[in-house]
Amino acid sequence: MENALQGKRILLGITGGIAAYKSILLLRLLVQAGADVKVVMTPAARQFVSPLVLATLSKQPVLVELAEGDTWANHVMLGRWAHLMLIAPATCNTMAKMAHGICDNLFMAVQLSATCPVMLAPAMDEDMWKHPATRRNIQTLAGYGYQVLPVATGALASGLHGEGRLLEPAAIFDAVQSFFSHSQRLKGKKAVVTAGPTYEPLDPVRFIGNHSTGLMGIEIANALAMAGADVTLVSGPTHLQALPAVKTIPVQTATQMLAAVQEVFAETDIAVMAAAVADYRPAVVADQKIKKANDELSITLVKNPDILAYCGAAKASHQLVVGFALETNNELLHAQEKLRRKNADLIVLNSPNKVGSGFGSATNEVTIITADSVTEWPMASKHEVACKLVNLVADKLERLQF
Ligand code: C5P
């Protein structure tokens, strides 16, 4: 993956937001990795970051105006020159203009005439990020085939805390690297991914659930989409969102999750079952809230369908099925047994005992188990684990088909 950017031509679009200072570091990372980067910025972005710095780091003039003196910037050729247009930060205003094809400065003209893939990293205040207008604009941009990266959560320029921060330069750089390294490896392939917990209702207000956040599965769905696959994510309740290019089907229970997977499984090439599905559900769901009465209350549970086992049993020879295992004892033996019993091609073993792994953690240390191999992967962010897993899946799929 180290040289994925060598010689790649990247048009770095910078728009006017406080987060624009991070684009200096991003530019440095891209240049250091061997990319040929030209910077195009909106007039407003000049207030946040100096063109002199950007021109020095990129070793190219920075483009801002459509015409300067008697020189006209050829926006059409810029969009054709680039292998990728990367917009970071993408402000709310610029995204709104992009969604509607407004062309009132050089940056807008370049992106409107760009024939290369476009990736954007949004940055704005949480309320703007969550506004229905922004949500709709992002859907529109995703519909144009643009890759919209997620935002981070944390301190915002407003002084508030929440969603809307620009991803850190290293995370945007990773996304660019994976774009070039397994760019479109899975084009034409279909995938289904399950993620998150399931909520099994006891009555109208209570449920049996677990602490899964859905992050690992969502990262996998995103990485599959970045590799060009057509991805359906069947997600239990979570506040996290996948990339707009991922078709998300929200569900609550294991039964609903199975039904959603069954709808699409026959047409998929890859199934990754990363959800933490409840093994049992209450046999009876009370119509009304269960009243406090006796000192003890017994609830009868019945077994839930096993979605991974369904995929393993139904899979054809061209389909690849990946499961997860979360074990607290005899980890390897149990995971290998799971691989056989559920007829999966690959099991990703998580160990909740390891610091920095499992539910709620941003990192994961996993072991990859196949019928004939056991490979330990070092601790890495869930994003990195997802990208590596998708590369492995693409390798295996290629082998299945030849
Ligand atoms: O059997 P166990 O729950 O440990 O297996 C974990 C794997 O099986 C995960 O991939 C999980 O998503 C999947 N699973 C499932 N449906 C269930 C239980 C687990 O798909 N009912």
Side-chain angles (χ1 to χ4, degrees):
M1 195 137 139
E2 283 75 50
N3 287 324
L5 267 75
Q6 187 64 46
K8 291 291 184 296
R9 298 191 295 264
I10 299 174
L11 206 47
L12 176 60
I14 303 179
T15 71
I18 297 290
Y21 74 92
K22 290 188 187 171
S23 50
I24 297 177
L25 298 170
L26 176 60
L27 171 59
R28 247 179 93 77
L29 289 172
L30 296 171
V31 170
Q32 277 171 348
D36 187 0
V37 188
K38 285 187 186 179
V39 176
V40 53
M41 63 202 296
T42 60
R46 277 186 302 203
Q47 290 186 296
F48 297 91
V49 60
S50 145
L52 179 66
V53 177
L54 299 165
T56 309
L57 291 176
S58 66
K59 303 186 188 74
Q60 311 247 21
V62 170
L63 305 147
V64 187
E65 303 290 350
L66 252 170
E68 240 164 310
D70 53 4
T71 320
W72 175 75
N74 191 332
H75 56 86
V76 177
M77 292 327 285
L78 279 168
R80 292 190 171 222
W81 166 85
H83 293 122
L84 174 72
M85 180 165 190
L86 169 67
I87 305 172
T91 58
C92 185
N93 180 46
T94 293
M95 288 200 301
K97 291 205 278 185
M98 285 170 67
H100 294 91
I102 292 170
C103 183
D104 60 353
N105 59 44
L106 174 64
F107 171 95
M108 296 308 303
V110 170
Q111 78 79 33
L112 203 54
S113 49
T115 50
C116 61
V118 176
M119 182 186 283
L120 21 108
M124 67 200 69
D125 220 68
E126 183 171 62
D127 297 333
M128 296 160 90
W129 172 246
K130 291 196 164 160
H131 194 284
T134 307
R135 311 266 33 98
R136 202 180 48 229
N137 290 335
I138 286 179
Q139 290 301 331
T140 305
L141 295 174
Y144 298 157
Y146 297 177
Q147 275 182 25
V148 185
L149 298 178
V151 291
T153 300
L156 299 165
S158 58
L160 299 174
H161 188 279
E163 285 176 50
R165 272 173 72 87
L166 181 68
L167 286 182
E168 290 307 314
I172 301 174
F173 177 76
D174 277 356
V176 174
Q177 249 198 338
S178 35
F179 170 81
F180 283 116
S181 58
H182 48 234
S183 162
Q184 311 308 299
R185 267 191 97 184
L186 293 174
K187 189 129 197 103
K189 301 286 178 223
K190 289 197 168 147
V192 61
V193 179
T194 62
T198 61
Y199 283 3
E200 308 295 338
L202 278 157
D203 67 18
V205 293
R206 303 187 182 95
F207 59 83
I208 297 177
N210 60 67
H211 293 299
S212 167
T213 59
L215 178 61
M216 192 66 244
I218 288 175
E219 288 288 4
I220 291 168
N222 289 350
L224 286 164
M226 298 265 287
D230 176 355
V231 188
T232 301
L233 170 70
V234 183
S235 174
T238 169
H239 67 282
L240 301 174
Q241 276 184 354
L243 292 175
V246 171
K247 181 179 170 218
T248 302
I249 302 176
V251 295
Q252 297 272 328
T253 66
T255 312
Q256 292 167 352
M257 192 172 267
L258 174 67
V261 169
Q262 282 174 326
E263 278 276 305
V264 294
F265 180 72
E267 287 176 10
T268 60
D269 304 278
I270 305 157
V272 183
M273 301 291 106
V277 185
D279 291 328
Y280 293 89
R281 66 177 183 279
V284 179
V285 182
D287 287 341
Q288 306 295 334
K289 188 177 166 201
I290 299 168
K291 289 277 179 220
K292 197 169 7 183
N294 300 336
D295 285 351
E296 284 183 9
L297 172 71
S298 296
I299 296 164
T300 305
L301 301 175
V302 292
K303 212 167 197 176
N304 261 333
D306 190 314
I307 306 161
L308 174 60
Y310 162 81
C311 295
K315 85 178 154 108
S317 58
H318 69 280
Q319 290 177 301
L320 198 96
V321 172
V322 178
F324 273 69
L326 186 83
E327 306 290 345
T328 51
N329 67 314
N330 284 337
E331 306 176 354
L332 193 56
L333 274 178
H334 282 142
Q336 283 170 321
E337 188 270 326
K338 200 159 292 174
L339 180 88
R340 278 189 295 275
R341 183 165 42 87
K342 302 198 188 194
N343 197 30
D345 298 284
L346 194 154
I347 289 277
V348 182
L349 170 65
N350 283 293
S351 304
N353 301 336
K354 287 185 181 155
V355 180
S357 285
F359 287 165
S361 168
T363 51
N364 221 358
E365 191 175 331
V366 301
T367 306
I368 303 294
I369 296 161
T370 66
D372 50 18
S373 68
V374 173
T375 317
E376 288 188 14
W377 285 358
M379 172 86 69
S381 70
K382 286 187 174 171
H383 172 75
E384 283 170 275
V385 173
C387 292
K388 213 166 150 182
L389 183 67
V390 166
N391 260 333
L392 182 66
V393 163
D395 289 346
K396 290 206 172 294
L397 209 60
E398 277 160 21
R399 260 176 265 144
L400 274 185
Q401 282 157 2
F402 290 105

